[in-house]
Amino acid sequence: MCGIIGFTGSKNAAEVLVDGLAELEYRGYDSAGIACFTAPSAITTIKTVGKVSQLRASIPFGFTASCGIGHTRWATHGGVTQANAHPHSCGHVTLIHNGIIENYLSLRDELTATGRIPVSQTDSEIAAMLIDSLYTGDAYQAIRDAAARLEGAYAFCILFADQPDTIYCIRKGSPLVACHSEIGSVIASDMVALLRYSKDYFVLSEDQIACLKPEGITVTTLAGEAVCPEYQTVTWDVSSAQKNGFKHYMEKEIHEQPDALSRTIMPRLSKHTDNDCCYTLPDLSADGIPDSLFENLHRIIITACGTAMHAGMMGKILFERLLRIPVTVDIASEFRYQNPILDENTLVITVSQSGETADTLAALRLARAQGARTLSIVNVKGSSIARESDHVLYTHAGPEIAVASTKAYTAQLSAFYLIAFRAAYALKKLSAADCAHLTSQLLTVVSDIHTVLADKAVTEEIGRHLIKADDLFFIGRSMDYALSCEGSIKLKEISYIHSEAYAAGELKHGTLSLITSEIPVIALATQQDVLAKMISNVKEVRARGAFVILITTEAAVVEEGLYDYRINIPVCEDLFAPFSAAVYLQLIAYHTSYLRGLDVDQPRHLAKSVTVE
Ligand code: M6R
């Protein structure tokens, strides 16, 4: 959480920083600020409560600088106030911080005893006080000594008042990526802020110090040894991170799903000859995922947060159906503190769009430490989870900017399908012919999603109905229950309407008492094997007066009186229904939020990348 950026070079730093913060705003948006060298040893700080646009408006006309740091905040320690906004200064030190300093209370007591008085309630200001207390003219030494004292997660960009045009950076847990281009040196928490300057960047490793000067970036280990950073190249361009004519990033990202899925699926298919027949099968060898990863597995654990965890719920159904190996899905923030039983016959799959989610990263580290095999499904190349996993399957969804995850989710689903099909084939649970058939069906979801996107009107009409609701239920069975969980989080995070996902058969064990004529129910009934049971559950809510929105298949025979709206997903085999149905749910959430006049892309209290516990 929090977006941070530092720049030193030939352009106006204020402009570079504010433009970069606008790209990073999805990481946090309650307040923003910059600090720049405006004279050799004079640092000017400007900060505002509110969004980056408010910060931009508060920068005086003609303000110029060649070096500075900028921050957009997602509050953790202390409320949303100007004093708590970053940058924070103490003595020689001005810094921005992304992360949480866990021992800040004891450090604060120690530092205030030396006469330093904090002006904010933040842990970040305490870090500035600590570094200043350790600074005697050697920035590296002060940062090293501070790192030895700080507990928790951090990415810092630090200015020292007596070192003009220079930025020092260090990270632990929280991400930092950097590039040098013709305009100078830039560092940020995410590649999107660097894209307009360079496609080549490197990830600063933990416990390394980067020193940015206009002419270049020097990286050293904490021990002071020079490091040659490993540059990577992004494959997407700046327009991928812009709205391109859509009203919102979320709307654009919903529409990018056919491409995101093609990019994720197609490179993983290859021709295979079996008994003189040629089949197109998933092949994960180019990703460095050997078939042996799936051999002798006693158990699979999928762990992730939020939407990524909901993709994992679908993965469990697929794996258990096709592989007949027991699978559990755990919320990463629970898994990491449950003392899980892991061994070399356990495969732990972590799923993350950002690849930086703190709880998921911790779950991965725990799994590795206990000897489990690890595989991650990650969207952001070079992110911490990707780098620390034994194996990675990248989703190629491109940058996802809206806080509500859409294209990353369906891309994660497609990754699970590819892994399940490949593993089932490798373990001889699926013949080449059957695997090829399923693979061809997976490809049809791309055109199915195009069909759904062309059918937007109904979701807008449903949105118009839902804007009046205070509470709402999503119900479904098996794959449709996993999808209900995703539909529910999507709607509540951006429309602020309370909703719950319920396994349809469980309603009668208590929750049915909440169903009245005031409560819309979105019923998912796309799975033939449980259709009759599901329709019985729809009857139960209908009998209590619920307004029913039914998402089902053309083939399903359902009495008209049982629903107010019926959406038929494009014809497909049941196993592939979640893709089209998910897009309908995303569109319903999108229209409901927009029609309520809310901030679709940046819902209150949330942030895109959750790098704190
Ligand atoms: O970057 P990650 O996929 O690890 O993020 C996990 C969740 O924070 C994320 O999916 C969140 O639930 C979304 N805002 C939901 O739309």
Side-chain angles (χ1 to χ4, degrees):
M1 354 266 299
C2 301
I4 66 180
I5 180 163
F7 168 72
T8 179
S10 57
K11 268 193 95 170
N12 182 2
E15 240 173 68
V16 175
L17 297 177
V18 176
D19 286 350
L21 289 179
E23 310 278 12
L24 294 169
E25 198 170 28
Y26 69 90
R27 300 179 69 91
Y29 33 83
D30 60 49
S31 52
I34 58 169
C36 299
F37 278 101
T38 42
S41 57
I43 294 174
T44 304
T45 299
I46 303 169
K47 28 192 196 180
T48 55
V49 166
K51 296 203 167 189
V52 174
S53 54
Q54 279 152 280
L55 172 68
R56 197 187 285 277
S58 66
I59 296 176
F61 181 73
F63 182 93
T64 51
S66 54
C67 174
I69 53 180
H71 187 275
T72 176
R73 180 171 187 246
W74 185 83
T76 52
H77 290 84
V80 179
T81 63
Q82 176 136 349
N84 289 338
H86 297 219
H88 291 287
S89 299
C90 180
H92 281 87
V93 171
T94 298
L95 61 71
I96 48 176
H97 169 219
N98 173 26
I100 288 187
I101 305 301
E102 286 166 359
N103 59 336
Y104 87 107
L105 284 176
S106 60
L107 289 172
R108 189 182 66 186
D109 291 347
E110 181 188 320
L111 290 158
T112 47
T114 66
R116 292 179 169 81
I117 310 294
V119 294
S120 77
Q121 300 155 304
T122 65
D123 52 342
S124 313
E125 187 186 7
I126 304 303
M129 287 166 60
L130 176 68
I131 298 171
D132 182 61
S133 74
L134 299 166
Y135 184 60
T136 52
D138 182 344
Y140 284 102
Q141 192 58 49
I143 293 170
R144 256 194 299 272
D145 292 347
R149 303 283 324 272
L150 293 169
E151 289 166 20
Y154 49 79
F156 290 117
C157 295
I158 311 159
L159 303 178
F160 291 87
D162 54 354
Q163 300 203 36
D165 289 347
T166 308
I167 306 169
Y168 291 90
C169 310
I170 187 168
R171 67 173 281 254
K172 187 175 152 208
S174 308
L176 276 177
V177 294
C179 73
H180 182 72
S181 77
E182 58 198 13
I183 63 147
S185 304
V186 198
I187 191 155
S189 33
D190 190 322
M191 184 57 214
V192 290
L194 310 186
L195 255 189
R196 67 177 80 209
Y197 309 113
S198 174
K199 283 188 154 193
D200 299 322
Y201 70 101
F202 69 88
V203 179
L204 185 69
S205 295
E206 290 199 358
D207 297 334
Q208 290 182 345
I209 299 175
C211 172
L212 278 73
K213 291 185 182 281
E215 61 277 13
I217 306 174
T218 326
V219 181
T220 51
T221 63
L222 273 186
E225 287 151 15
V227 174
C228 188
E230 226 176 88
Y231 274 83
Q232 344 190 350
T233 304
V234 269
T235 44
W236 32 274
D237 60 22
V238 76
S239 70
S240 321
Q242 289 168 349
K243 288 189 198 151
N244 293 347
F246 286 94
K247 277 197 287 288
H248 303 98
Y249 283 112
M250 182 182 180
E251 188 190 17
K252 175 188 165 233
E253 289 159 6
I254 288 173
H255 284 79
E256 284 174 340
Q257 291 179 103
D259 285 347
L261 289 176
S262 299
R263 282 198 304 267
T264 304
I265 300 167
M266 295 306 287
R268 275 74 186 234
L269 302 185
S270 73
K271 301 268 184 228
H272 176 88
T273 307
D274 195 321
N275 277 340
D276 291 338
C277 292
C278 184
Y279 299 104
T280 299
L281 302 179
D283 179 352
L284 309 180
S285 56
D287 296 281
I289 301 173
D291 287 347
S292 58
L293 183 64
F294 309 110
E295 282 165 13
N296 303 315
L297 282 181
H298 296 167
R299 194 176 165 212
I300 299 174
I301 297 173
I302 302 171
T303 182
C305 302
T307 286
M309 202 256 308
H310 298 151
M313 291 170 73
M314 209 67 83
K316 169 186 161 78
I317 296 170
L318 283 170
F319 287 147
E320 289 193 337
R321 251 184 226 182
L322 295 173
L323 306 181
R324 306 304 298 151
I325 294 174
V327 183
T328 49
V329 181
D330 276 323
I331 298 169
S333 55
E334 291 293 312
F335 175 81
R336 61 185 291 193
Y337 295 115
Q338 270 167 2
N339 195 11
I341 303 155
L342 305 168
D343 60 23
E344 69 280 7
N345 298 112
T346 308
L347 173 64
V348 173
I349 304 182
T350 46
V351 192
S352 176
Q353 186 286 127
S354 61
E356 299 294 348
T357 300
D359 287 316
T360 311
L361 180 59
L364 167 67
R365 287 177 176 163
L366 176 70
R368 289 197 76 197
Q370 296 202 5
R373 308 177 200 178
T374 59
L375 166 65
S376 293
I377 299 173
V378 175
N379 195 41
V380 177
K381 212 173 153 194
S383 54
S384 302
I385 293 174
R387 282 182 292 117
E388 294 192 27
S389 293
D390 296 326
H391 304 280
V392 190
L393 189 72
Y394 281 111
T395 48
H396 297 306
E400 193 179 65
I401 307 291
V403 165
S405 186
T406 53
K407 62 177 179 172
Y409 171 72
T410 46
Q412 285 158 357
L413 290 187
S414 71
F416 272 116
Y417 280 68
L418 288 168
I419 297 168
F421 295 168
R422 180 69 209 185
Y425 172 69
L427 298 178
K428 303 199 175 4
K429 304 272 169 84
L430 267 184
S431 67
D434 288 343
C435 187
H437 169 74
L438 290 175
T439 306
S440 69
Q441 294 305 298
L442 180 61
L443 283 172
T444 64
V445 303
V446 174
S447 57
D448 290 349
I449 292 178
H450 276 298
T451 310
V452 175
L453 293 173
D455 183 33
K456 267 193 305 202
V458 62
T459 52
E460 189 173 342
E461 210 179 308
I462 291 170
R464 247 174 242 296
H465 186 87
L466 296 186
I467 52 175
K468 295 168 269 165
D470 292 324
D471 301 283
L472 188 144
F473 281 86
F474 287 80
I475 58 171
R477 285 171 176 258
S478 98
M479 290 190 128
D480 284 335
Y481 170 57
L483 195 54
S484 295
C485 295
E486 177 51 18
S488 175
I489 193 177
K490 211 84 314 164
L491 186 83
K492 64 188 144 198
E493 75 180 320
I494 59 171
S495 75
Y496 313 156
I497 297 172
H498 166 252
S499 82
E500 278 188 55
Y502 244 79
E506 182 66 10
L507 273 183
K508 56 187 174 294
H509 297 290
T511 312
L512 205 53
S513 63
L514 293 174
I515 303 291
T516 66
S517 57
E518 307 294 306
I519 305 288
V521 172
I522 299 187
L524 291 154
T526 67
Q527 301 295 302
Q528 192 56 42
D529 58 339
V530 286
L531 183 66
K533 310 284 172 208
M534 187 60 211
I535 297 307
S536 303
N537 300 135
V538 172
K539 284 183 182 161
E540 289 161 9
V541 296
R542 193 63 169 174
R544 273 87 190 164
F547 183 91
V548 173
I549 297 149
L550 180 67
I551 301 182
T552 186
T553 61
E554 208 176 283
V557 181
V558 188
E559 294 158 45
E560 275 191 19
L562 283 186
Y563 52 82
D564 295 280
Y565 282 98
R566 172 176 178 156
I567 293 176
N568 291 334
I569 60 165
V571 177
C572 64
E573 291 185 12
D574 288 3
L575 197 67
F576 302 91
F579 290 91
S580 306
V583 179
Y584 275 116
L585 296 180
Q586 294 165 354
L587 287 166
I588 289 173
Y590 170 77
H591 288 301
T592 308
S593 170
Y594 179 57
L595 291 166
R596 289 191 122 201
L598 300 174
D599 191 335
V600 174
D601 287 333
Q602 296 178 339
R604 69 185 178 204
H605 310 326
L606 299 179
K608 180 72 180 163
S609 181
V610 186
T611 54
V612 295
E613 271 198 51

